[in-house]
């Protein structure tokens, strides 16, 4: 069974979890990279990220095309921006149609609203089987080792 981890990470939290999954399952990885960088500190981070989500912007991605059809299991990871997934996923979901896959969802945040984010991701991923979802609160800053173990346990129980 071939697996893929797709993620966007602004500050490294989501990347941490993506790499744990990648290493544990020997998965391929697609890190969404935008042409224009988002600010990753201070008030501008929230302003630009929130604006991008609210206006459903589709930032240009630098990634090369990847054939989704060769994967059975896909893990999707995102920070939560204004209660939903990060704007680069607007572009990704517009360019790729994912169907008939097993999907694991993981989100990182500093203030919650994971249920709304998971619901929005599930709407975009209709026609797939959601096999699990997990959330993290700033996993690089809050008990990193505990979050690594949490991820390993989650993967084993899928």
């Amino acid at each position: 069974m071939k697996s893929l981890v797709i993620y966007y990470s602004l500050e490294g939290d989501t990347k941490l979890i993506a790499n744990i999954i990648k290493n544990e399952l020997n998965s391929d990885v697609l890190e969404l990279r935008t042409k224009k960088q988002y600010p990753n500190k201070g008030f501008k981070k929230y302003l630009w990220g929130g604006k991008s989500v609210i206006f459903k912007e589709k930032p240009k991605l630098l990634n090369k095309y990847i054939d989704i059809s060769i994967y059975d299991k896909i893990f999707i990871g995102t920070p939560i921006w204004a209660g939903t997934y990060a704007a680069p996923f607007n572009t990704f979901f517009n360019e790729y149609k994912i169907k008939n896959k097993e999907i694991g969802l993981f989100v990182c945040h500093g203030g919650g609203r994971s249920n709304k984010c998971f619901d929005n991701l599930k709407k975009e991923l209709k026609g797939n089987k959601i096999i699990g979802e997990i959330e993290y609160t700033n996993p690089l800053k809050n008990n990193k080792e505990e979050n690594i173990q949490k991820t390993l346990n989650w993967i084993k129980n899928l």
Side-chain angles (χ1 to χ4, degrees):
M1 189 175 259
K2 194 163 173 117
S3 62
L4 172 68
V5 179
I6 304 166
Y7 75 96
Y8 175 78
S9 188
L10 185 64
E11 299 178 87
D13 290 297
T14 311
K15 184 174 188 167
L16 169 72
I17 306 305
N19 282 330
I20 296 165
I21 297 168
K22 174 194 84 142
N23 293 337
E24 187 66 16
L25 298 178
N26 195 29
S27 300
D28 292 340
V29 174
L30 174 62
E31 178 182 7
L32 301 182
R33 293 178 289 113
T34 56
K35 184 175 181 179
K36 185 177 179 185
Q37 293 282 337
Y38 286 96
N40 63 359
K41 292 187 179 10
F43 179 71
K44 284 184 178 182
K45 172 177 85 170
Y46 299 104
L47 177 69
W48 289 106
K51 176 187 86 63
S52 292
V53 167
I54 291 167
F55 290 107
K56 300 197 182 299
E57 292 177 353
K58 294 177 181 140
K60 180 159 178 53
L61 297 178
L62 297 174
N63 304 89
K64 293 181 180 176
Y65 179 80
I66 186 168
D67 183 4
I68 297 288
S69 70
I70 66 172
Y71 299 98
D72 306 298
K73 192 176 286 187
I74 299 174
F75 293 87
I76 295 178
T78 180
I80 297 177
W81 289 3
T84 192
Y85 50 82
F89 275 102
N90 291 333
T91 308
F92 179 82
F93 290 138
N94 188 60
E95 293 177 2
Y96 291 88
K97 304 304 176 210
I98 302 173
K99 295 287 183 206
N100 303 314
K101 306 292 182 188
E102 292 185 353
I103 306 284
L105 302 172
F106 60 101
V107 299
C108 298
H109 60 80
R113 299 179 67 187
S114 60
N115 288 339
K116 181 181 175 191
C117 185
F118 285 132
D119 288 346
N120 289 334
L121 284 165
K122 289 175 192 174
K123 285 178 193 171
E124 290 292 336
L125 295 163
K126 283 183 183 173
N128 295 285
K129 179 182 179 185
I130 305 300
I131 58 172
E133 53 190 62
I134 191 166
E135 69 173 298
Y136 301 86
T137 304
N138 298 322
L140 282 171
K141 298 175 193 136
N142 295 325
N143 302 312
K144 181 179 174 183
E145 293 304 317
E146 188 177 300
N147 284 307
I148 291 169
Q149 192 57 50
K150 177 180 172 179
T151 306
L152 294 172
N153 291 339
W154 180 63
I155 294 166
K156 287 177 190 168
N157 292 314
L158 293 178

